[in-house]
Structure formats: C-alpha cells, structure tokens
Amino acid sequence: SFVVGHSLGEYVAAVVAGVMSLEDALPLVVRRGRLMSALPAGGRMAAVFASEADVAAALQPGVSIAAVNAPRSVVISGTGAAVDAVIARLAATGVRATPLKVSHAFHSECMEPMLAEFEQAVRGIQLNPPRIRIISNTTGAPMTDAEATDPARWRQHIREPVRFAASIETLGALGAGTFLEVGPHPTLCGMGMDTLAAERRLWVSSLHRDTSAWSQIGDAVAALYRAGHDIDWNGWNRDYAGRRVAGPTYPFQRERFWFQDGLQAATRTQMLAGAPVAHPLLD
C-alpha cells in the first residue's frame, strides 16, 4: 500500500513505486556515490539520543540535523571540529551521542558542492508519477506527482534531513498496520517501533545479521501469512524445482475411549450417605 525509504533507501522505494526504473536508478546511485566520494574528507556524523528541539538548540555553524529517526533519535552531520563541539555541549547537559563510522558528512552543507552536478544527472533520466504511494524523506508526507518528477527535489533530498520519524507517523495515521523492512538488518523496524510505541502493529524484517537468510525470510513470510496477508506462493517457489502434491490423510477409526463408570450413581449415593467407598474411579 505504501513504500518509504531512509536516505539512499528512498531510491529503492522510488523504483518499487515506479518513479524511476531500475535501469535508470542504478547508474544514478553510482553517480551519486562518486560525486560524494570526490568531496573533501573530514566530515563527521553522530547519533544523538535526544529530541529534535534539544539537538537543534545545541547546534552551531557547520553542523546540521541529518536525520530525525524517532522521537529521541537524531543524527547530526557536519565538519569534524564543529560536530565534536556540539557533542561536548550536549554531553554537558547529560545527553548521550555516539559517533558514526562514515566517510563524509551526509545531509549537511558539506554536500553542497556536488548538488548542481547531481541535479543534472537526474535530469537525464525519466521520472514518473508514483504508482504506489511513497512517503517522502524530506517532508514526511506522501510524495506528490510534482515532487516525484522534479529533479530539484532529488537534489534537495541529498541536502535536507531525513524525516523518517515523521514518515512513520504519517503511515500510522494512514492506517498502516504491517511494516515489512527490506534490508540486511531490522534497523528501521526499531526506529519505527520507537515512533509508534503505543500502537499495536506488526513489524517484520526480511533479513537479520544473526540469522541465516533462508530462516529469516521464511519466518517473515510465515508472519505475514499468519497476519492474514496474501502470499504469492507461485512467486515464492518460482526459482526452485518442485511440484505440489497431496499428502496422505489419516484414517481416523472413530473409536471412543471415554471412561464409563458403571457404578458412578451408586457410589455417589454412598458418598452422600457417608458410607465408606473404595475409590470413585476404580470401583
């Protein structure tokens, strides 16, 4: 019913939604990565466990909010010294922050030198109105046809913060009850559950780093089936040889084995009269 990605994952969501073809998206993502890699190194990012308002109050020039993943899960991004200064300022107020292992400061002003060239690359591919409702990272709301087909919007996506928490809130308000994360580990499921903590919904991950792929995918399909979702079983088995067979049925003999107490009434009468009885079951 809906698709939503996180940062680079929004290109996957766009392909699933029909906004861009896979053949166009793959070279575009490669171009995006090369443009980013060519930028000067030295950027830094950190996960901060506080509200967006508290983090915003501690920012200084050179640091941006890169993502709001949950009500108390924010990522900051910028030049190394500036990010360190913000982390120190937050630590003084008891706020915990964890540096992230990244090559560059994504979703910050450090990306600006590559934006114009990336927009030109987007103008070279075909963009279509979404066939499936896609939730925008930049607004947290359903992406309009105009937004989906605007190259400038995809340029803005690189610079602006990822509004993932707002995206999940939007899905909750739209009635989404089952969330399937397609990725190597259920990171986004955790963020989503933090955002919709009071809601009873089904969260399913396609893969888990500590579980074999087949076992995890099988469990995911089973969870979706138990929840009442239709499974394309032909698609599930399409790449594997096999055929459906009818299993043998069990020939129930319909014999009854309930204990029949022939003296039950007499025994009860004796018990009510206070007379001694041997045993209520064994006569």
Side-chain angles (χ1 to χ4, degrees):
S1 301
F2 309 95
V3 288
V4 61
H6 187 290
S7 191
L8 182 62
E10 185 158 271
Y11 293 86
V12 182
V15 170
V16 174
V19 173
M20 58 182 73
S21 69
L22 182 63
E23 291 77 12
D24 282 339
L26 289 176
L28 181 65
V29 166
V30 171
R31 182 65 174 155
R32 178 182 184 270
R34 287 175 176 168
L35 289 172
M36 289 179 172
S37 297
L39 295 173
R44 190 164 300 175
M45 301 180 73
V48 182
F49 302 95
S51 68
E52 181 181 3
D54 290 343
V55 174
L59 295 182
Q60 66 179 42
V63 183
S64 304
I65 290 180
V68 182
N69 293 324
R72 297 190 64 81
S73 178
V74 177
V75 177
I76 59 174
S77 180
T79 59
V83 169
D84 288 342
V86 172
I87 291 176
R89 183 180 300 177
L90 290 166
T93 63
V95 174
R96 183 166 60 95
T98 302
L100 302 178
K101 295 180 180 181
V102 295
S103 59
H104 292 79
F106 305 110
H107 296 283
S108 77
E109 64 186 39
C110 297
M111 297 288 105
E112 290 180 359
M114 54 83 66
L115 297 181
E117 190 170 349
F118 178 75
E119 182 179 345
Q120 285 302 115
V122 178
R123 293 187 181 279
I125 70 171
Q126 180 176 339
L127 297 174
N128 310 300
R131 295 193 302 267
I132 300 173
R133 286 172 289 183
I134 179 173
I135 310 300
S136 169
N137 275 178
T138 56
T139 65
M143 193 182 298
T144 66
D145 291 356
E147 289 172 330
T149 55
D150 182 6
R153 184 265 164 201
W154 292 96
R155 166 182 175 154
Q156 180 188 12
H157 174 263
I158 291 178
R159 175 63 180 87
E160 296 298 317
V162 177
R163 297 284 173 188
F164 188 74
S167 300
I168 294 297
E169 289 173 350
T170 295
L171 288 172
L174 290 172
T178 298
F179 292 79
L180 170 64
E181 177 172 358
V182 181
H185 192 70
T187 303
L188 302 184
C189 279
M191 296 175 181
M193 286 187 279
D194 286 344
T195 302
L196 297 179
E199 304 290 342
R200 183 175 179 83
R201 304 179 191 276
L202 176 64
W203 303 86
V204 180
S205 60
S206 62
L207 294 174
H208 194 291
R209 67 168 63 102
D210 297 324
T211 306
S212 71
W214 269 115
S215 176
Q216 180 63 35
I217 290 175
D219 286 347
V221 171
L224 294 171
Y225 181 70
R226 287 196 305 270
H229 295 285
D230 292 331
I231 305 298
D232 179 4
W233 296 114
N234 289 328
W236 172 254
N237 293 308
R238 180 176 53 206
D239 297 330
Y240 306 95
R243 59 189 177 87
R244 179 173 294 186
V245 298
T249 58
Y250 183 82
F252 289 98
Q253 301 301 316
R254 300 188 181 280
E255 296 184 50
R256 294 177 60 84
F257 294 94
W258 292 106
F259 174 75
Q260 300 294 330
D261 184 2
L263 300 178
Q264 184 177 20
T267 301
R268 183 181 298 110
T269 301
Q270 289 177 344
M271 293 177 66
L272 291 173
V277 295
H279 192 281
L281 294 181
L282 302 181
D283 294 341

